[in-house]
Amino acid sequence: MIKRLLLSSLTLCAATSSPLVLAEEQSVPDSQPPAPVEVRTSPLTSRAPVNPLNDVLQDDLWARIRAGFQMTPLDHQMVRDQENWILKHPDYLRRVTERGSRYLYHIVTELEKRGMPTELALLPIVESAFVPDAYSRAHASGLWQFIPSTGKTYGLEQTWWYDGRRDVVAATDAAINYFDYLYSMFGDWNLVLASYNWGEGSVQRAVQKNRLKGLETDFVSLHMPNETRSYVPKLMALKNIVSNPEAYGISLTPIPNRPYFVTVAPNRHIDTALAAQLADMSVADFAKLNPAYTRPVVASKDNRRILLPVDKADSFLTRLSSYDKPTLTWQAYASQRGESLSDVADRYGISLDELKRLNRLNTRARVASGEILLVPLKASEDHPILAAGEAKVAEPAPVVVRRGSKIASASKPASKPAPVTVVATAPAEPVVPERTAETPAAVSPAPVTTGLQTASFTVQANPRPAPVVAVETPASSSKPEPVTLKLAETVSQPEGKAATATHHKVVTGDTAFSIARRYGLTTQQLLSYNQLKSPALHAGQVLNLVEPQGSSKQAKAEPESRHGKKGSEEARPTIYTVKKGDTLYSIARQYKVAQVNLKKWNANLRRLQPGDQIKLVLSSKG
């Protein structure tokens, strides 16, 4: 995965040029009242105190980040060059860390849960400069800069309303899953980082090429593009400065070691402007925590949440529960044949300029038949709106797509129409200060469900949405019937399987990580059982959940099954003494056991300290 960022401002320093500095953003408050990170559907009536952390970790998140550093230092001139650039641009470091203060507590917490090095919490500085809606020429988006295909592989939904690559919580989880997969492949964090930037296949080929030549296979020894060559040194330079800022003459803005936000479930569609108002926030500040909602609507769905500052979540829920007006004022509309933008604007009672602004259309833009537009919600008998206070999620008016319409980009229809899944792709990205908007390409579609009959269309992520490609009306039909696409796009998921299941049939939305997690496997085990080289799956694929009997690879399978034993081999307990620098993650990798089993075997396990003794259950041949 080669990701060339839109501006070098999204990285610390390019090999041949200096990066552009991002425009100043509002400073983030340096304190928030203590509260746990949680999902809330109703306000808290009382708040339990947060357990104080020990010593220096109590107040300073930077100290906590330093304590979790695990990567081997990289002593190279490239690192020193990056350090020098940062020292010459102290305002840049101040801006990116201020932006990152909203997200760092959550990222560090999630890395610690997986036993991963906290250096990775600094990676969004290199990837996106902590701009949550950053967008690159390679169509990578969000804090972690996922390209569409990789985002889909790691379970990040991308529709006309929502882009999971820009979801702070979902994308962080996906990035950590990706790191875990890459580490299981290379066992070297420098190669993990190179793979995250260049693609694991490219790094594997570079390693193999050096191995065949009898050369070293570490990061410094590999031949790679300049962007990847400077990628790891940028992170290492940041690590060195954060490790000892005083030695570099840098003063890091303090970040409280407590949550900045909580996740809230509004359980209804709601305008982002209204949500911000109920949370007593500006729309701009609301968007910094919720950049995944790419239209001015929080499109509600079971697995979607909004993020709110800790001190605003309860008041938001209280105000929302008593709000007695409609919470949704926008809908998607598919233009009709012969209809102009002026016609659409008149029909929905807005000016032509406002319609173009809402849909990011230039002044000379024309509308194509079936083109998807954002318009005000029009209440009528045909488009009822449920009251905002009702328990059922309010549905907006449907998008009506007339079958039989001619569309220039449509391919020749089949002689016999067949149902096709409706798909939607990521929308146009907003322009951030000092960045030039690029025209992104169409991204991998995500499935949604229609109300009446399915049709196939693609919404391209460019300044003008692509036209709808409708299924042609059969000749026997005397009257064309409408096809509707509602805001609440839902994908049916199978019921959770029992842990004793031996096979799983992949359905739309499944990923290797979600399946492995569901059945208590590691991703590497799932790939090994099915002889897969990558986690990419397709709907209808049947996966083995246990090692196939008689497999030639059975003797080489990972020692840990989801039950903690390898096949029928007897398990023996072993005591391991923790050394300096050890983490649950590194110990699990060293002994080829699942990290979850380490926690199960050591129920009272806390933060590891040198000299601690932990129990391991290994096979008799281990």
Side-chain angles (χ1 to χ4, degrees), residues 304-323:
R304 294 180 190 164
R305 300 289 185 267
I306 61 174
L307 307 183
L308 295 175
V310 167
D311 61 341
K312 297 183 182 296
D314 288 344
S315 59
F316 168 83
L317 290 168
T318 299
R319 292 166 183 158
L320 180 62
S321 64
S322 61
Y323 193 79

Side-chain angles (χ1 to χ4, degrees), residues 290-303:
N290 300 279
Y293 297 101
T294 54
R295 310 288 167 177
V297 172
V298 173
S300 181
K301 201 172 180 181
D302 289 344
N303 61 338

Side-chain angles (χ1 to χ4, degrees), residues 186-259:
F186 295 104
D188 181 302
W189 284 112
N190 287 342
L191 296 185
V192 167
L193 292 168
S195 299
Y196 192 83
N197 177 259
W198 191 21
E200 58 266 37
S202 298
V203 174
Q204 281 181 319
R205 287 188 291 272
V207 168
Q208 183 64 15
K209 186 178 293 185
N210 275 26
R211 187 174 289 130
L212 292 174
K213 293 179 179 179
L215 302 175
E216 295 293 330
T217 58
D218 61 310
F219 169 78
V220 176
S221 302
L222 298 181
H223 179 71
M224 58 186 64
N226 286 336
E227 179 187 326
T228 308
R229 172 69 60 200
S230 62
Y231 186 80
V232 175
K234 290 171 184 174
L235 183 65
M236 290 302 165
L238 284 166
K239 170 190 176 176
N240 294 343
I241 291 173
V242 171
S243 295
N244 192 359
E246 293 81 8
Y248 290 89
I250 293 287
S251 177
L252 295 175
T253 303
I255 302 177
N257 187 28
R258 54 181 71 97

Side-chain angles (χ1 to χ4, degrees), residues 9 23 40 44 55 96 131 182 188 240 259 311 313 378 385 399-400 412 434:
S9 61
R40 297 192 196 173
L44 294 176
D55 303 326
V96 295
V131 176
L182 293 173
D188 181 302
N240 294 343
D311 61 341
K378 190 175 182 181
I385 304 173
V399 176
V400 180
K412 184 178 180 180
E434 297 193 19

Side-chain angles (χ1 to χ4, degrees), residues 82 103 151 159 202 312 315 353 425 460 498 528 544 572:
Q82 297 297 334
Y103 319 112
T159 73
S202 298
K312 297 183 182 296
S315 59
D353 289 343
T425 61
Q460 276 194 312
S528 174
N544 295 317
R572 58 180 174 82

